[in-house]
C-alpha cells in the first residue's frame, strides 16, 4: 500500500496534468515546490504560503539534522507539527548539500564521509542513516541517498556514481520504516550519457517506487544537454507515477520540462533572487534595485493578482529591497505567487486542452522579439508543441536546417 | 468597546463624520485655564471637539477626554480620525473612520510599514488599537521623491493601508536621529542611513503636503540633555519660530501638533509650552526626551509642561518606551506614545510575558535563570526552550501564540531566520497593546495609581534590588532595560 496516488487528469502529447494525493495534501501537478531550507520559507508565514497556493514545501535534511536535529523534530511530533505546516512536505537526502557545502566531503561505497561542521569530527552519512533521519522528520515524500556527480564532470566517475545509486536504493528501501506514510522516491543519475541514464531508469523502475526524480542536472550543464536528458528520462519513466526534476528552476525551464512530461520541480531561485531585489515577471525579471525603478509608480506586474502587486508600486519597493526585511518578505511573496500561478496555469491549460496556446503566450511575453532560444525550439519540437508563431523565422534554426537539407 | 463609567457622565462627541457641530465649541475651552487639582472632580468629562483647521478638509481629527484618574492628570480619551473622500469614485481611496482610545501606542515603522509585520498580518492585531502608525518623513530620503509620493496619492496609498492613521514625526529612533550639533537657525539636522540632512520648515512641509498623513508634528530642534543653557534656549526659540512657519505653510489636510522642547530646564519648558499653547494647533508633541535625560527628572519636566497645556487637546511624547516610562508619561497626562521597546525586544529574540491581569497567568519560576526569563520577558534563544512545545503566553490571542511554539521560535532564532522576528514582533506588539488597554481600564475605574504601583513592584520583585521605602508615586521610577 502506497502513501501516494497519482491520477492523470489531462494530457497534451507528453505533458500531463495530474492529481497527486499525499498523506497531508492533495496536489495538482505540474507544481513548483518552494524550498524551506531550515523549516521555514524565508520570511513567509503558513497562512501566506497557503494564500499563495503552495502545495508542497521542501525541507533540507542536512540543515535540519544539524539544527534542531531530527531527533528533536521527531520528539515534537514531526516537521509538519514543528513548523505548523498542514500541507505536504518533501525532504531531500542530505547528500547533495554535503557534497556542495563541505570541503572535505568524500563519497565511498559506505556513504558520504564528511567533517562535522559543528565539531570537526569525521562523520558518515549512509543511505540507512539518511532514511532514518528522514523517517524522523516525517515528510510526505523522502528522497533516496544518491551518488550525485556534477554534469560538468566526465569520465568513469559518472558510471560509478550511477551504479552506486542503484546499489544504494536497495539499502534505502530496506531502511525505510514508514512506507505507508512516507513515499520514497528514487533518483535517476547517469550524467549526460543516455546509455547510463537508461540503465539507471530501468534499475529504479524495477524497484517499483512511488515516484522518480531526475537528478544530477541544474548544475551548470548547457541547456541543450539538459533538456535532452529530461526528455529521455520522461520518455522511459512510468506514465502512472510522478516525475520530479530536481533543482529546476527558472520559469522557462519549468515550462519546457512540463511540455516534455515532468510533474514536479524545486529551486531556491525565486526566494533567493527576491532577497537580491529581483522580481519575476512574465517578461523575465525586474531588477527593483535599479535606479530606474525609483520613481516608477506601476506595480511589479499589472497582470499579477498577488497582495504585493495590488498594493505597492515599484518605487516604494525600490526603497525597501536589500535594505529592509520587509522588502525581502514582499518580494518573496510576489515571486512565489508568480511560481504558483505558473503551476496553476500549466495544470489548467493542459486540462482545458489549451496547453500549446499557453506555451506560445508564455514565450511571446518572454521573447517579444521572437528570439526564443534554440534549445527551447528543439525541446518543443520533441514535445510536439508548435511554437512557430512565437519565433521569428530568422531565429528558428531548426526549421532552416531542415529546409536547407 | 467603551469601559463602563461609574458616575453618570455623558459626552457630547458625535462619532459620525457628518455630525452637526456640537454645543461646546473648542474656542471656548482653549482659553480655559487648567483647574487646580483639588477642584477637579473625578471622572468628569471635558467634552470638547477639535476640528482641524478648515471645514473643507478631507481629513479630520477629533479628540475628547472621557475619564480622569484620581490624581487628575492621567486620562482616557477618544481620538477620531476620519477622512472623507471626494475622489473615491475615480479610483481614489475610500473614506475611513478610526476611533481609538488613548492612552494609545503608535506602532513604530520603517518607511511606513512595521519592521517585520507584513500588511496582511498587521490586520490581525487588535483593532482599533493597532491602527496608528508612526513614521518620519525622513525615512523617505532614500525613497520615492515628494512628487512621486504625490502622484501615488500620499502615504496611505503608498503603503496600501487606507484604514490606518499615519502620524508623521520628524524624529525617529531608528532611521532619523536628531543631530543637534548640526542643526542651525535654518533647520533641524537628522542622521539617516543615507546621510545627514538639514531639513528646513519649508522642505519639511513640502514632504508633509505630498505625504498627507492624518497627524503631523511641527519641525523641532530637539537637543541632547548635555547642551549648554544657551543652546537649549536657542532650541526653544527656533522650535517656536518653526512652528509658526509650519502653521503658515500648512496644507489643507492633516492635524498639526505643536512641538514643545526645552531640554532639562523647567523654565524653558514652561516658556515653550506657554508659547505653543497660544497657537492654534490640534495637539502637542513634547520632544527632547530619551536624548540623554535622566528618568528621575522627567516627571517634573513633564508635569511642568502638561500643567500649562489645554486639557482637551491630545499630547504625544517620543522616546519613552519602557513600561515604567509609559506609566510615568501617562501619570503626567500624555495620551500618545511611540516606543522602540518592541523593536529592540524583537531584534534581541525576546518575547514579552509580563502578566496582563490580576490573575497571574504566567507563573514566575524562580528556577528559571535570569538568562531565560526576568518575569517581563523571556529570551527565546535560551537552550531551555529547545523542546518547549508550549506557546509564549497561555491565553494570548496573537497569531504567534495561536500557531507556534517556543521550540520553533528557538530554532528559528538559532538558524537566523527572519520568521523569528516576524513572529516576535507580532506577539510583542499584541502584548504591549494589551498593556495599554489595561492602563485605560485602570484609569476609567479610578485605579490607575494602584495599577502603576503594583506593576512597578512586580517588576522589582525580580531584581536583586535593595529594599525601598514607600513608593512616592510622584517620584519617577528607575527603570531597567
Amino acid at each position: 500500500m502506497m502513501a501516494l496516488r497519482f491520477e492523470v487528469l489531462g494530457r497534451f502529447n507528453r505533458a500531463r496534468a495530474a492529481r497527486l494525493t499525499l498523506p497531508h495534501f492533495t496536489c495538482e501537478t505540474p507544481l513548483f515546490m518552494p524550498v524551506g531550507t531550515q523549516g521555514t520559507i524565508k520570511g513567509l508565514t503558513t497562512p501566506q504560503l497557503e494564500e499563495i497556493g503552495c502545495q508542497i514545501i521542501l525541507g533540507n535534511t542536512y540543515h535540519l539534522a544539524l539544527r534542531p536535529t531530527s531527533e528533536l523534530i521527531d520528539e515534537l511530533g514531526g516537521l509538519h507539527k514543528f513548523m505548523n505546516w498542514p500541507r505536504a512536505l518533501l525532504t531531500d537526502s542530505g547528500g547533495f548539500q554535503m557534497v556542495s557545502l563541505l570541503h572535505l566531503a568524500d563519497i565511498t561505497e559506505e556513504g558520504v564521509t564528511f567533517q562535522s561542521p559543528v565539531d570537526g569530527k569525521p562523520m558518515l552519512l549512509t543511505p540507512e542513516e539518511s532514511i532514518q533521519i528522514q523517517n524522523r522528520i516525517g515528510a510526505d515524500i523522502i528522497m533516496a541517498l544518491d551518488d550525485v556527480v556534477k554534469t560538468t564532470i566526465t569520465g568513469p566517475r559518472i558510471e560509478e556514481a550511477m551504479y552506486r545509486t542503484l546499489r544504494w536504493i536497495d539499502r534505502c528501501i530496506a531502511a525505510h520504516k514508514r512506507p505507508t506514510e512516507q513515499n520514497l522516491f528514487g533518483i535517476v543519475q547517469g550524467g549526460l550519457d543516455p546509455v547510463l541514464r537508461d540503465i539507471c531508469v530501468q534499475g529504479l523502475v524495477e524497484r517499483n517506487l512511488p515516484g522518480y526524480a531526475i537528478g544530477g542536472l541544474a548544475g551548470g550543464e548547457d541547456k541543450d544537454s539538459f533538456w535532452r536528458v529530461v526528455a529521455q528520462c520522461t520518455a522511459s519513466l512510468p506514465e502512472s507515477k510522478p516525475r520530479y526534476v530536481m533543482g529546476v528552476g527558472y520559469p522557462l525551464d519549468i515550462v519546457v520540462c512540463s511540455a516534455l512530461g515532468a510533474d514536479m520541480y524545486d529551486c531556491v531561485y525565486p526566494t533567493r533572487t527576491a532577497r537580491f531585489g529581483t522580481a519575476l515577471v512574465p517578461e523575465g525579471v525586474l531588477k527593483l534595485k535599479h535606479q530606474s525603478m525609483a520613481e516608477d509608480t506601476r506595480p511589479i506586474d499589472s497582470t499579477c493578482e498577488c497582495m504585493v502587486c495590488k498594493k505597492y508600486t515599484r518605487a516604494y519597493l525600490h526603497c525597501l529591497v536589500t535594505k529592509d526585511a520587509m522588502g525581502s518578505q514582499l518580494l518573496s511573496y510576489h515571486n512565489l505567487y508568480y511560481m504558483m500561478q505558473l503551476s496553476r496555469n500549466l495544470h489548467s491549460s493542459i486540462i482545458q486542452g489549451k496547453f500549446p496556446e499557453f506555451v506560445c503566450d508564455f514565450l511571446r511575453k518572454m521573447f517579444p522579439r521572437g528570439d526564443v532560444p534554440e534549445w527551447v525550439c528543439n525541446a518543443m519540437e520533441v514535445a510536439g508543441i508548435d511554437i512557430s508563431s512565437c519565433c521569428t523565422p530568422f531565429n528558428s534554426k531548426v526549421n532552416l536546417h531542415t529546409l536547407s537539407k | 468597546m467603551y469601559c463602563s463609567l461609574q458616575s453618570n457622565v455623558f459626552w457630547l462627541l458625535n462619532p459620525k463624520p457628518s455630525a452637526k457641530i456640537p454645543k461646546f465649541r473648542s474656542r471656548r475651552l482653549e482659553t480655559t485655564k487648567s483647574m487646580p487639582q483639588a477642584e477637579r472632580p473625578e471622572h468628569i468629562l471635558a467634552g470638547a471637539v477639535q476640528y482641524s483647521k478648515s471645514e473643507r478638509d478631507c481629513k479630520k481629527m477629533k479628540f475628547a477626554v472621557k475619564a480622569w484618574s484620581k490624581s487628575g492628570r492621567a486620562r482616557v480619551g477618544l481620538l477620531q480620525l476620519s477622512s472623507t473622500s471626494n475622489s473615491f469614485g475615480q479610483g481614489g481611496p475610500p473614506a475611513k473612520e478610526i476611533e481609538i482610545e488613548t492612552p494609545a501606542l503608535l506602532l513604530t515603522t520603517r518607511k511606513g510599514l512595521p519592521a517585520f509585520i507584513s500588511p496582511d498580518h498587521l490586520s490581525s492585531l487588535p483593532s482599533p488599537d493597532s491602527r496608528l502608525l508612526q513614521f518620519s518623513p525622513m525615512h523617505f530620503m532614500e525613497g520615492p521623491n515628494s512628487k512621486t509620493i504625490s502622484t501615488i496619492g500620499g502615504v496611505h496609498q503608498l503603503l496600501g493601508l487606507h484604514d490606518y492613521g499615519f502620524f508623521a514625526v520628524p524624529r525617529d529612533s531608528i532611521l532619523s536621529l536628531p543631530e543637534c550639533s548640526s542643526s542651525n537657525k535654518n533647520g533641524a539636522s537628522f542622521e539617516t542611513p543615507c546621510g545627514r540632512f538639514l531639513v528646513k520648515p519649508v522642505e519639511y512641509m513640502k514632504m508633509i503636503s505630498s505625504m498627507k498623513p492624518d497627524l503631523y508634528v511641527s519641525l523641532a530642534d530637539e537637543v541632547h540633555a548635555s547642551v549648554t543653557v544657551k543652546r537649549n534656549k536657542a532650541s526653544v526659540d527656533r522650535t517656536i519660530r518653526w512652528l509658526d512657519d509650519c502653521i503658515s505653510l500648512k496644507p489643507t489636510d492633516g492635524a498639526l501638533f505643536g512641538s514643545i522642547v526645552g531640554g532639562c530646564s523647567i523654565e524653558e519648558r514652561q516658556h515653550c509650552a506657554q508659547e505653543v499653547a497660544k497657537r492654534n494647533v490640534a495637539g502637542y508633541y513634547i520632544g527632547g526626551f530619551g536624548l540623554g535625560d535622566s528618568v528621575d527628572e522627567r516627571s517634573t519636566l513633564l508635569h511642568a509642561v502638561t500643567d500649562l497645556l489645554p486639557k482637551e487637546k491630545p499630547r504625544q511624547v517620543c522616546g519613552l518606551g519602557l513600561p515604567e516610562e509609559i506609566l510615568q508619561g501617562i501619570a503626567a497626562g500624555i495620551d500618545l506614545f511611540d516606543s522602540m521597546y518592541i523593536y529592540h525586544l524583537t531584534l534581541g529574540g525576546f518575547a514579552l510575558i509580563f502578566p496582563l491581569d490580576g490573575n497571574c497567568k504566567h507563573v514566575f519560576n524562580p528556577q528559571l535563570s535570569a538568562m531565560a526569563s526576568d518575569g517581563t520577558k523571556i529570551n527565546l534563544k535560551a537552550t531551555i526552550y529547545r523542546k518547549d512545545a508550549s506557546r509564549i503566553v497561555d491565553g494570548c490571542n496573537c497569531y504567534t501564540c495561536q500557531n507556534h511554539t517556543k521550540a520553533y521560535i528557538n530554532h528559528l532564532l538559532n538558524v537566523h531566520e527572519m520568521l523569528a522576528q516576524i513572529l516576535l514582533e507580532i506577539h510583542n506588539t499584541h502584548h504591549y497593546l494589551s498593556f495599554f488597554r489595561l492602563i485605560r481600564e485602570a484609569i476609567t475605574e479610578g485605579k490607575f495609581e494602584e495599577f502603576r504601583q503594583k506593576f512597578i513592584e512586580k517588576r522589582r520583585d525580580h531584581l536583586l534590588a535593595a529594599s525601598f521605602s514607600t513608593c512616592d508615586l510622584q517620584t519617577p521610577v528607575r527603570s531597567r532595560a
Side-chain angles (χ1 to χ4, degrees):
Chain A
M1 174 190 137
M2 280 200 248
L4 176 157
R5 244 179 75 182
F6 187 72
E7 309 154 73
V8 176
L9 302 173
R11 289 179 200 278
F12 190 91
N13 294 350
R14 296 168 65 140
R16 59 283 181 84
R19 181 183 298 133
L20 170 64
T21 307
L22 294 168
H24 285 85
F25 197 65
T26 301
C27 316
E28 291 179 343
T29 67
L31 60 73
F32 175 78
M33 301 181 284
V35 180
T37 309
Q38 305 189 97
T40 160
I41 309 275
K42 296 210 181 320
L44 297 175
T45 60
T46 293
Q48 288 176 324
L49 294 166
E50 287 175 328
E51 177 76 26
I52 288 169
C54 295
Q55 308 181 78
I56 314 180
I57 287 176
L58 209 124
N60 287 131
T61 297
Y62 169 74
H63 291 285
L64 292 171
L66 271 182
R67 293 180 295 194
T69 74
S70 58
E71 287 84 357
L72 187 145
I73 294 176
D74 193 19
E75 210 178 310
L76 293 179
L79 187 59
H80 285 92
K81 194 157 174 220
F82 185 61
M83 45 182 297
N84 195 11
W85 173 246
R87 297 184 178 182
L89 283 172
L90 183 152
T91 47
D92 60 358
S93 64
F96 176 73
Q97 239 99 34
M98 281 182 192
V99 169
S100 54
L101 293 178
L102 300 171
H103 290 303
L104 301 175
D106 196 19
I107 308 194
T108 65
E109 188 60 27
E110 271 250 64
V112 181
T113 59
F114 61 101
Q115 247 186 9
S116 162
V118 176
D119 55 12
K121 272 188 350 201
M123 302 199 66
L124 176 67
L125 180 72
T126 59
E128 290 79 9
E129 180 65 17
S130 169
I131 298 301
Q132 274 164 33
I133 294 172
Q134 295 187 73
N135 280 157
R136 286 192 281 266
I137 293 172
D140 301 70
I141 298 174
I142 64 176
M143 304 304 295
L145 184 67
D146 54 341
D147 186 356
V148 54
V149 173
K150 284 205 181 93
T151 41
T152 43
I153 290 176
T154 52
R157 177 78 187 97
I158 315 240
E159 185 171 348
E160 179 196 44
M162 186 276 288
Y163 281 113
R164 183 170 292 141
T165 298
L166 285 179
R167 290 192 292 277
W168 280 1
I169 189 68
D170 289 330
R171 288 166 64 181
C172 289
I173 294 169
H176 187 18
K177 295 282 176 292
R178 302 173 62 186
T180 57
E181 301 160 271
Q182 296 180 282
N183 298 285
L184 173 62
F185 277 27
I187 307 179
V188 179
Q189 294 293 346
L192 301 177
D193 186 332
V195 173
L196 294 176
R197 286 276 176 180
D198 194 53
I199 296 171
C200 203
V201 166
Q202 296 313 318
L204 290 175
V205 169
E206 271 168 26
R207 271 78 174 171
N208 195 23
L209 295 162
Y212 301 95
I214 302 164
L217 294 175
E221 71 282 347
D222 65 290
K223 279 294 195 272
D224 196 56
S225 309
F226 161 74
W227 80 261
R228 286 177 203 282
V229 172
V230 173
Q232 184 201 350
C233 292
T234 51
S236 46
L237 284 168
E239 276 289 305
S240 58
K241 295 191 178 167
R243 303 143 175 184
Y244 164 26
V245 189
M246 302 184 81
V248 170
Y250 299 117
L252 180 61
D253 298 1
I254 289 176
V255 172
V256 171
C257 290
S258 300
L260 292 170
D263 312 296
M264 298 163 65
Y265 312 94
D266 84 279
C267 196
V268 293
Y269 172 68
T271 38
R272 180 173 291 169
T273 208
R275 294 198 294 284
F276 291 109
T278 300
L280 297 177
V281 291
E283 293 75 22
V285 296
L286 191 70
K287 290 196 184 329
L288 283 163
K289 247 178 28 177
H290 199 268
Q291 199 45 42
S292 60
M293 299 284 114
E295 315 297 338
D296 192 333
T297 57
R298 294 173 289 177
I300 292 175
D301 174 13
S302 55
T303 67
C304 181
E305 299 281 314
C306 84
M307 165 192 72
V308 179
C309 290
K310 291 229 161 306
K311 278 182 182 294
Y312 299 112
T313 56
R314 296 174 185 189
Y316 181 61
L317 293 166
H318 169 79
C319 77
L320 288 181
V321 292
T322 71
K323 294 192 195 113
D324 292 276
M326 186 60 61
S328 190
Q329 269 189 62
L330 294 177
L331 221 50
S332 292
Y333 189 102
H334 165 78
N335 282 0
L336 280 187
Y337 188 94
Y338 179 85
M339 299 304 291
M340 295 307 127
Q341 189 59 42
L342 176 66
S343 305
R344 287 190 284 268
N345 289 342
L346 286 166
H347 178 86
S348 58
S349 66
I350 295 171
I351 292 205
Q352 290 162 17
K354 294 184 182 159
F355 186 58
E357 290 94 320
F358 170 75
V359 173
C360 287
D361 189 53
F362 179 88
L363 290 173
R364 249 180 248 120
K365 286 193 184 126
M366 196 168 274
F367 305 102
R369 286 176 301 185
D371 51 340
V372 178
E374 190 178 342
W375 72 271
V376 176
C377 299
N378 295 343
M380 287 302 176
E381 198 182 341
V382 168
I385 312 270
D386 178 10
I387 58 166
S388 50
S389 62
C390 322
C391 309
T392 59
F394 178 74
N395 268 327
S396 187
K397 291 200 186 127
V398 173
N399 293 336
L400 278 178
H401 248 285
T402 43
L403 282 175
S404 67
K405 275 194 179 125
Chain B
M1 178 173 84
Y2 302 140
C3 309
S4 60
L5 302 171
Q6 280 148 17
S7 31
N8 58 340
V9 289
F10 64 97
W11 56 326
L12 311 164
L13 194 63
N14 184 334
K16 297 195 182 66
S18 54
K20 294 201 173 72
I21 299 164
K23 285 182 186 171
F24 282 59
R25 303 261 8 188
S26 54
R27 217 172 313 245
R28 209 178 71 161
L29 286 164
E30 257 176 81
T31 55
T32 307
K33 291 203 170 40
S34 58
M35 289 197 284
Q37 214 159 320
E39 286 173 48
R40 190 180 299 113
E42 268 184 78
H43 301 291
I44 198 169
L45 274 178
V49 173
Q50 171 66 44
Y51 282 100
S52 54
K53 240 199 173 152
S54 159
E55 304 290 59
R56 293 167 298 146
D57 288 351
C58 286
K59 292 196 170 65
K60 288 195 168 73
M61 185 214 87
K62 296 183 207 165
F63 178 77
V65 177
K66 280 178 56 195
W68 294 95
S69 68
K70 288 205 198 84
S71 71
R73 284 206 174 94
R75 72 264 192 92
V76 164
L78 188 73
L79 181 72
Q80 280 186 303
L81 299 174
S82 58
S83 71
T84 54
S85 178
N86 300 322
S87 59
F88 185 44
Q90 298 104 47
K96 76 151 185 272
E97 171 96 24
I98 299 170
E99 293 187 347
I100 177 164
E101 288 195 336
T102 64
L105 177 68
L106 301 167
L107 300 191
T108 306
T109 68
R110 294 174 69 102
K111 296 174 181 142
L113 288 179
F116 303 104
I117 308 176
S118 57
D120 45 346
H121 277 294
L122 189 58
S123 55
S124 71
L125 286 173
S127 186
D129 307 40
S130 59
R131 296 257 157 187
L132 290 180
L133 301 177
Q134 174 167 316
F135 74 100
S136 164
M138 270 55 92
H139 288 181
F140 295 98
M141 290 300 204
E142 52 174 2
N145 59 36
S146 290
K147 184 161 171 295
T148 303
I149 296 180
S150 285
T151 309
I152 292 172
V155 284
H156 296 81
Q157 198 77 23
L158 181 74
L159 304 164
L161 293 172
H162 300 289
D163 294 339
Y164 285 74
F166 280 96
F167 205 135
V169 181
R171 166 196 168 179
D172 162 284
S173 306
I174 321 176
L175 300 177
S176 179
L177 302 159
E179 192 40 64
C180 61
S181 55
S182 304
S183 303
N184 59 35
K185 62 180 195 289
N186 296 320
S189 181
F190 296 92
E191 193 75 55
T192 73
C194 49
R196 195 176 286 186
F197 294 97
L198 186 73
V199 181
K200 300 178 187 163
V202 65
E203 290 157 357
Y204 178 69
M205 291 309 289
K206 188 169 165 230
M207 289 190 261
I208 296 291
S209 301
S210 67
M211 289 173 191
K212 303 206 254 286
D214 298 90
L215 302 156
Y216 64 98
V217 160
S218 67
L219 192 63
D221 185 16
E222 295 188 58
V223 297
H224 197 266
S226 60
V227 299
T228 61
V229 167
K230 188 175 166 195
R231 176 70 181 89
N232 192 30
K233 187 173 191 326
S235 77
V236 171
D237 294 336
R238 280 176 201 166
T239 300
I240 295 168
R241 189 158 40 84
W242 293 342
L243 170 58
D244 289 334
D245 289 341
C246 287
I247 289 174
S248 63
L249 292 162
K250 198 174 179 309
T252 53
D253 244 0
L256 168 62
F257 275 40
S259 296
I260 299 169
V261 293
C264 302
S265 155
I266 295 183
E267 295 77 25
E268 291 297 335
R269 285 275 178 191
Q270 286 172 328
H271 167 62
C272 198
Q274 276 161 345
E275 285 301 314
V276 173
K278 289 180 193 164
R279 274 76 174 164
N280 184 13
V281 291
Y284 306 98
Y285 165 73
I286 306 170
F289 289 112
L291 294 171
D293 49 299
S294 97
V295 176
D296 296 341
E297 299 173 355
R298 206 176 279 160
S299 275
T300 321
L301 292 165
L302 281 172
H303 291 199
V305 170
T306 54
D307 283 350
L308 294 171
L309 296 176
K311 299 279 168 257
E312 72 288 353
K313 289 190 187 177
R315 300 93 172 253
Q316 194 220 354
V317 80
C318 220
L320 305 192
L322 298 175
E324 292 86 352
E325 295 175 307
I326 304 271
L327 289 167
Q328 183 188 47
I330 291 173
I334 306 292
D335 309 294
L336 297 165
F337 297 83
D338 78 331
S339 175
M340 295 301 301
Y341 189 46
I342 293 170
Y343 182 70
H344 288 304
L345 285 171
T346 299
L347 285 186
F350 293 95
L352 285 174
I353 53 150
F354 60 79
L356 287 174
D357 57 22
N359 316 320
C360 186
K361 280 198 175 119
H362 176 88
V363 179
F364 172 59
N365 183 352
Q367 285 169 342
L368 281 178
S369 73
M371 282 296 289
S373 168
D374 66 357
T376 295
K377 59 190 186 289
I378 54 174
N379 176 0
L380 280 167
K381 287 182 191 163
T383 49
I384 54 148
Y385 297 117
R386 268 193 88 228
K387 293 186 187 178
D388 191 333
S390 64
R391 50 185 70 175
I392 295 175
V393 170
D394 212 20
C396 177
N397 288 328
C398 80
Y399 169 80
T400 304
C401 290
Q402 293 293 304
N403 289 282
H404 292 291
T405 61
K406 293 198 196 80
Y408 185 54
I409 301 175
N410 174 271
H411 165 67
L412 293 174
L413 286 166
N414 287 333
V415 296
H416 310 293
E417 282 285 349
M418 199 192 301
L419 187 59
Q421 276 76 41
I422 297 170
L423 297 178
L424 286 174
E425 194 177 41
I426 289 174
H427 169 78
N428 288 337
T429 305
H430 189 105
H431 202 86
Y432 220 36
L433 288 173
S434 301
F435 175 59
F436 273 77
R437 185 173 35 84
L438 281 187
I439 292 173
R440 293 192 292 268
E441 281 168 9
I443 296 174
T444 310
E445 288 162 20
K447 294 180 184 156
F448 174 66
E449 283 72 20
E450 294 97 308
F451 175 92
R452 184 182 174 197
Q453 181 169 15
K454 229 170 111 182
F455 184 87
I456 289 164
E457 279 170 5
K458 272 205 190 113
R459 286 261 278 176
R460 280 191 182 165
D461 279 348
H462 306 132
L463 301 174
L464 292 169
S467 62
F468 57 95
S469 50
T470 320
C471 187
D472 175 8
L473 288 171
Q474 295 302 337
T475 310
V477 172
R478 239 176 248 287
S479 57
R480 175 180 92 95

